[in-house]
mmCIF file of all heavy atoms in Angstrom:
data_model
loop_
_atom_site.group_PDB
_atom_site.id
_atom_site.type_symbol
_atom_site.label_atom_id
_atom_site.label_comp_id
_atom_site.label_asym_id
_atom_site.label_seq_id
_atom_site.Cartn_x
_atom_site.Cartn_y
_atom_site.Cartn_z
ATOM 1 N N GLN B 6 -7.081 6.283 9.917
ATOM 2 C CA GLN B 6 -8.070 5.284 10.235
ATOM 3 C C GLN B 6 -8.131 5.179 11.760
ATOM 4 O O GLN B 6 -7.195 4.821 12.433
ATOM 5 C CB GLN B 6 -7.649 3.919 9.647
ATOM 6 C CG GLN B 6 -7.617 3.958 8.124
ATOM 7 C CD GLN B 6 -7.167 2.619 7.575
ATOM 8 O OE1 GLN B 6 -6.031 2.525 6.971
ATOM 9 N NE2 GLN B 6 -7.945 1.573 7.710
ATOM 10 N N SER B 7 -9.321 5.599 12.303
ATOM 11 C CA SER B 7 -9.451 5.787 13.693
ATOM 12 C C SER B 7 -9.767 4.461 14.435
ATOM 13 O O SER B 7 -9.845 4.516 15.650
ATOM 14 C CB SER B 7 -10.458 6.837 13.979
ATOM 15 O OG SER B 7 -11.693 6.463 13.418
ATOM 16 N N GLN B 8 -10.036 3.451 13.805
ATOM 17 C CA GLN B 8 -10.443 2.185 14.398
ATOM 18 C C GLN B 8 -9.374 1.147 14.158
ATOM 19 O O GLN B 8 -9.224 0.563 13.142
ATOM 20 C CB GLN B 8 -11.761 1.612 13.663
ATOM 21 C CG GLN B 8 -12.890 2.632 13.610
ATOM 22 C CD GLN B 8 -13.774 2.412 12.472
ATOM 23 O OE1 GLN B 8 -13.382 2.090 11.388
ATOM 24 N NE2 GLN B 8 -15.081 2.398 12.754
ATOM 25 N N GLU B 10 -9.141 -1.814 15.600
ATOM 26 C CA GLU B 10 -9.758 -3.095 15.484
ATOM 27 C C GLU B 10 -11.229 -2.917 15.342
ATOM 28 O O GLU B 10 -11.849 -2.127 16.015
ATOM 29 C CB GLU B 10 -9.356 -3.946 16.728
ATOM 30 C CG GLU B 10 -7.894 -4.191 16.880
ATOM 31 C CD GLU B 10 -7.529 -5.150 18.014
ATOM 32 O OE1 GLU B 10 -8.458 -5.397 18.758
ATOM 33 O OE2 GLU B 10 -6.303 -5.517 18.148
ATOM 34 N N MET B 11 -11.827 -3.880 14.570
ATOM 35 C CA MET B 11 -13.299 -3.995 14.489
ATOM 36 C C MET B 11 -13.643 -5.456 14.427
ATOM 37 O O MET B 11 -12.806 -6.253 13.982
ATOM 38 C CB MET B 11 -13.780 -3.317 13.207
ATOM 39 C CG MET B 11 -13.655 -1.816 13.244
ATOM 40 S SD MET B 11 -14.903 -1.009 14.215
ATOM 41 C CE MET B 11 -16.402 -1.090 13.157
ATOM 42 N N SER B 12 -14.864 -5.750 14.893
ATOM 43 C CA SER B 12 -15.241 -7.103 14.768
ATOM 44 C C SER B 12 -16.737 -7.183 14.291
ATOM 45 O O SER B 12 -17.495 -6.197 14.510
ATOM 46 C CB SER B 12 -15.162 -7.926 16.077
ATOM 47 O OG SER B 12 -16.107 -7.393 17.048
ATOM 48 N N VAL B 13 -17.094 -8.198 13.561
ATOM 49 C CA VAL B 13 -18.461 -8.260 13.068
ATOM 50 C C VAL B 13 -18.850 -9.763 13.020
ATOM 51 O O VAL B 13 -18.089 -10.689 12.949
ATOM 52 C CB VAL B 13 -18.477 -7.808 11.560
ATOM 53 C CG1 VAL B 13 -17.589 -8.587 10.706
ATOM 54 C CG2 VAL B 13 -19.871 -7.660 10.997
ATOM 55 N N GLU B 17 -23.342 -10.296 8.975
ATOM 56 C CA GLU B 17 -23.750 -8.938 9.315
ATOM 57 C C GLU B 17 -22.966 -7.923 8.465
ATOM 58 O O GLU B 17 -22.090 -8.358 7.690
ATOM 59 C CB GLU B 17 -23.539 -8.655 10.804
ATOM 60 C CG GLU B 17 -24.298 -9.618 11.755
ATOM 61 C CD GLU B 17 -25.754 -9.240 11.628
ATOM 62 O OE1 GLU B 17 -26.166 -8.053 11.798
ATOM 63 O OE2 GLU B 17 -26.578 -10.187 11.492
ATOM 64 N N THR B 18 -23.227 -6.667 8.673
ATOM 65 C CA THR B 18 -22.653 -5.564 7.922
ATOM 66 C C THR B 18 -21.752 -4.778 8.883
ATOM 67 O O THR B 18 -22.034 -4.569 10.046
ATOM 68 C CB THR B 18 -23.674 -4.602 7.355
ATOM 69 O OG1 THR B 18 -24.452 -5.360 6.421
ATOM 70 C CG2 THR B 18 -23.096 -3.452 6.738
ATOM 71 N N VAL B 19 -20.617 -4.302 8.299
ATOM 72 C CA VAL B 19 -19.628 -3.609 9.119
ATOM 73 C C VAL B 19 -19.131 -2.401 8.304
ATOM 74 O O VAL B 19 -19.045 -2.536 7.029
ATOM 75 C CB VAL B 19 -18.461 -4.466 9.598
ATOM 76 C CG1 VAL B 19 -17.637 -4.980 8.488
ATOM 77 C CG2 VAL B 19 -17.545 -3.664 10.632
ATOM 78 N N THR B 20 -18.818 -1.349 8.927
ATOM 79 C CA THR B 20 -18.285 -0.116 8.243
ATOM 80 C C THR B 20 -17.006 0.310 8.788
ATOM 81 O O THR B 20 -16.873 0.471 10.033
ATOM 82 C CB THR B 20 -19.291 1.061 8.316
ATOM 83 O OG1 THR B 20 -20.507 0.662 7.630
ATOM 84 C CG2 THR B 20 -18.739 2.263 7.610
ATOM 85 N N LEU B 21 -16.038 0.425 8.015
ATOM 86 C CA LEU B 21 -14.682 0.852 8.409
ATOM 87 C C LEU B 21 -14.488 2.278 8.032
ATOM 88 O O LEU B 21 -14.776 2.674 6.866
ATOM 89 C CB LEU B 21 -13.540 -0.037 7.734
ATOM 90 C CG LEU B 21 -13.738 -1.539 7.928
ATOM 91 C CD1 LEU B 21 -12.532 -2.269 7.252
ATOM 92 C CD2 LEU B 21 -13.954 -1.915 9.401
ATOM 93 N N SER B 22 -13.936 3.131 8.884
ATOM 94 C CA SER B 22 -13.867 4.531 8.648
ATOM 95 C C SER B 22 -12.458 4.960 8.116
ATOM 96 O O SER B 22 -11.429 4.265 8.477
ATOM 97 C CB SER B 22 -14.108 5.313 9.945
ATOM 98 O OG SER B 22 -15.386 4.957 10.424
ATOM 99 N N CYS B 23 -12.411 6.007 7.359
ATOM 100 C CA CYS B 23 -11.242 6.561 6.835
ATOM 101 C C CYS B 23 -11.383 8.106 6.650
ATOM 102 O O CYS B 23 -12.409 8.417 5.958
ATOM 103 C CB CYS B 23 -10.827 5.907 5.568
ATOM 104 S SG CYS B 23 -9.278 6.653 4.744
ATOM 105 N N TRP B 36 -9.277 1.123 -0.991
ATOM 106 C CA TRP B 36 -9.238 0.316 0.158
ATOM 107 C C TRP B 36 -8.521 -1.008 -0.275
ATOM 108 O O TRP B 36 -8.870 -1.602 -1.269
ATOM 109 C CB TRP B 36 -10.594 -0.120 0.608
ATOM 110 C CG TRP B 36 -11.240 0.972 1.503
ATOM 111 C CD1 TRP B 36 -12.136 1.949 1.113
ATOM 112 C CD2 TRP B 36 -11.038 1.101 2.896
ATOM 113 N NE1 TRP B 36 -12.433 2.633 2.182
ATOM 114 C CE2 TRP B 36 -11.766 2.199 3.358
ATOM 115 C CE3 TRP B 36 -10.258 0.421 3.876
ATOM 116 C CZ2 TRP B 36 -11.830 2.674 4.661
ATOM 117 C CZ3 TRP B 36 -10.261 0.882 5.266
ATOM 118 C CH2 TRP B 36 -11.012 1.944 5.617
ATOM 119 N N SER B 65 -18.830 -1.743 -0.640
ATOM 120 C CA SER B 65 -19.180 -0.327 -1.185
ATOM 121 C C SER B 65 -18.612 0.670 -0.268
ATOM 122 O O SER B 65 -18.189 0.476 0.845
ATOM 123 C CB SER B 65 -20.698 -0.219 -1.180
ATOM 124 O OG SER B 65 -21.267 -0.330 0.116
ATOM 125 N N VAL B 66 -18.493 1.853 -0.857
ATOM 126 C CA VAL B 66 -17.858 3.003 -0.089
ATOM 127 C C VAL B 66 -18.850 4.084 0.004
ATOM 128 O O VAL B 66 -19.886 4.215 -0.764
ATOM 129 C CB VAL B 66 -16.617 3.498 -0.835
ATOM 130 C CG1 VAL B 66 -15.575 2.444 -0.863
ATOM 131 C CG2 VAL B 66 -16.944 4.126 -2.139
ATOM 132 N N ASN B 67 -18.652 4.932 1.027
ATOM 133 C CA ASN B 67 -19.416 6.185 1.203
ATOM 134 C C ASN B 67 -18.394 7.254 1.168
ATOM 135 O O ASN B 67 -17.636 7.474 2.118
ATOM 136 C CB ASN B 67 -20.120 6.113 2.568
ATOM 137 C CG ASN B 67 -20.968 7.410 2.802
ATOM 138 O OD1 ASN B 67 -21.109 8.244 1.892
ATOM 139 N ND2 ASN B 67 -21.494 7.547 4.000
ATOM 140 N N SER B 74 -13.977 12.157 3.740
ATOM 141 C CA SER B 74 -14.282 10.883 4.459
ATOM 142 C C SER B 74 -14.490 9.845 3.364
ATOM 143 O O SER B 74 -15.171 10.034 2.351
ATOM 144 C CB SER B 74 -15.571 11.042 5.317
ATOM 145 O OG SER B 74 -15.932 9.831 5.729
ATOM 146 N N PHE B 75 -14.086 8.631 3.683
ATOM 147 C CA PHE B 75 -14.045 7.534 2.711
ATOM 148 C C PHE B 75 -14.225 6.246 3.453
ATOM 149 O O PHE B 75 -13.226 5.539 3.742
ATOM 150 C CB PHE B 75 -12.783 7.587 1.903
ATOM 151 C CG PHE B 75 -12.737 6.524 0.783
ATOM 152 C CD1 PHE B 75 -13.614 6.482 -0.242
ATOM 153 C CD2 PHE B 75 -11.712 5.597 0.727
ATOM 154 C CE1 PHE B 75 -13.550 5.615 -1.249
ATOM 155 C CE2 PHE B 75 -11.597 4.653 -0.263
ATOM 156 C CZ PHE B 75 -12.547 4.648 -1.248
ATOM 157 N N SER B 76 -15.520 5.803 3.781
ATOM 158 C CA SER B 76 -15.698 4.638 4.520
ATOM 159 C C SER B 76 -15.952 3.479 3.733
ATOM 160 O O SER B 76 -16.520 3.641 2.604
ATOM 161 C CB SER B 76 -16.805 4.864 5.540
ATOM 162 O OG SER B 76 -18.011 5.215 4.929
ATOM 163 N N LEU B 77 -15.713 2.263 4.226
ATOM 164 C CA LEU B 77 -15.932 1.027 3.517
ATOM 165 C C LEU B 77 -16.928 0.189 4.240
ATOM 166 O O LEU B 77 -16.860 -0.040 5.408
ATOM 167 C CB LEU B 77 -14.589 0.225 3.384
ATOM 168 C CG LEU B 77 -14.721 -1.255 2.825
ATOM 169 C CD1 LEU B 77 -14.931 -1.034 1.308
ATOM 170 C CD2 LEU B 77 -13.414 -1.995 3.116
ATOM 171 N N LYS B 78 -17.970 -0.127 3.532
ATOM 172 C CA LYS B 78 -18.997 -0.988 4.023
ATOM 173 C C LYS B 78 -18.877 -2.399 3.455
ATOM 174 O O LYS B 78 -18.857 -2.578 2.273
ATOM 175 C CB LYS B 78 -20.424 -0.391 3.733
ATOM 176 C CG LYS B 78 -21.516 -1.140 4.420
ATOM 177 C CD LYS B 78 -22.897 -0.463 4.293
ATOM 178 C CE LYS B 78 -23.586 -0.833 3.011
ATOM 179 N NZ LYS B 78 -24.995 -0.387 2.988
ATOM 180 N N ILE B 79 -18.858 -3.347 4.354
ATOM 181 C CA ILE B 79 -18.824 -4.767 3.912
ATOM 182 C C ILE B 79 -20.159 -5.405 4.360
ATOM 183 O O ILE B 79 -20.506 -5.462 5.558
ATOM 184 C CB ILE B 79 -17.676 -5.581 4.614
ATOM 185 C CG1 ILE B 79 -16.356 -4.872 4.311
ATOM 186 C CG2 ILE B 79 -17.669 -6.990 4.129
ATOM 187 C CD1 ILE B 79 -15.103 -5.372 5.125
ATOM 188 N N SER B 80 -20.922 -5.875 3.392
ATOM 189 C CA SER B 80 -22.222 -6.472 3.652
ATOM 190 C C SER B 80 -22.140 -7.970 3.640
ATOM 191 O O SER B 80 -21.168 -8.557 3.014
ATOM 192 C CB SER B 80 -23.185 -6.053 2.512
ATOM 193 O OG SER B 80 -23.330 -4.616 2.447
ATOM 194 N N SER B 82 -20.930 -10.145 5.791
ATOM 195 C CA SER B 82 -19.578 -10.536 6.065
ATOM 196 C C SER B 82 -19.322 -11.995 6.060
ATOM 197 O O SER B 82 -20.151 -12.754 6.526
ATOM 198 C CB SER B 82 -19.210 -9.918 7.461
ATOM 199 O OG SER B 82 -19.273 -8.490 7.431
ATOM 200 N N TYR B 90 -7.303 -4.040 6.872
ATOM 201 C CA TYR B 90 -7.798 -3.186 5.846
ATOM 202 C C TYR B 90 -7.129 -1.796 5.914
ATOM 203 O O TYR B 90 -7.139 -1.210 6.971
ATOM 204 C CB TYR B 90 -9.292 -3.040 5.929
ATOM 205 C CG TYR B 90 -10.084 -4.264 5.493
ATOM 206 C CD1 TYR B 90 -10.260 -5.334 6.393
ATOM 207 C CD2 TYR B 90 -10.568 -4.389 4.184
ATOM 208 C CE1 TYR B 90 -10.908 -6.442 5.951
ATOM 209 C CE2 TYR B 90 -11.231 -5.565 3.843
ATOM 210 C CZ TYR B 90 -11.381 -6.559 4.767
ATOM 211 O OH TYR B 90 -12.001 -7.664 4.355
ATOM 212 N N THR B 108 -7.000 -1.132 9.809
ATOM 213 C CA THR B 108 -7.989 -1.608 10.776
ATOM 214 C C THR B 108 -7.984 -3.116 10.696
ATOM 215 O O THR B 108 -8.149 -3.682 9.599
ATOM 216 C CB THR B 108 -9.407 -1.064 10.422
ATOM 217 O OG1 THR B 108 -9.491 0.307 10.509
ATOM 218 C CG2 THR B 108 -10.450 -1.742 11.306
ATOM 219 N N LEU B 110 -9.856 -6.328 11.005
ATOM 220 C CA LEU B 110 -11.308 -6.856 11.052
ATOM 221 C C LEU B 110 -11.297 -8.304 11.442
ATOM 222 O O LEU B 110 -10.637 -9.105 10.814
ATOM 223 C CB LEU B 110 -11.944 -6.649 9.753
ATOM 224 C CG LEU B 110 -13.385 -7.174 9.696
ATOM 225 C CD1 LEU B 110 -14.271 -6.335 10.570
ATOM 226 C CD2 LEU B 110 -13.855 -7.109 8.209
#
Side-chain angles (χ1 to χ4, degrees):
Chain B
Q6 293 179 248
S7 58
Q8 307 154 316
E10 296 183 353
M11 292 283 284
S12 68
V13 62
E17 298 292 309
T18 296
V19 65
T20 299
L21 308 184
S22 301
C23 174
W36 278 99
S65 61
V66 298
N67 183 4
S74 171
F75 182 61
S76 60
L77 175 70
K78 185 171 84 170
I79 306 173
S80 303
S82 297
Y90 286 82
T108 297
L110 178 67

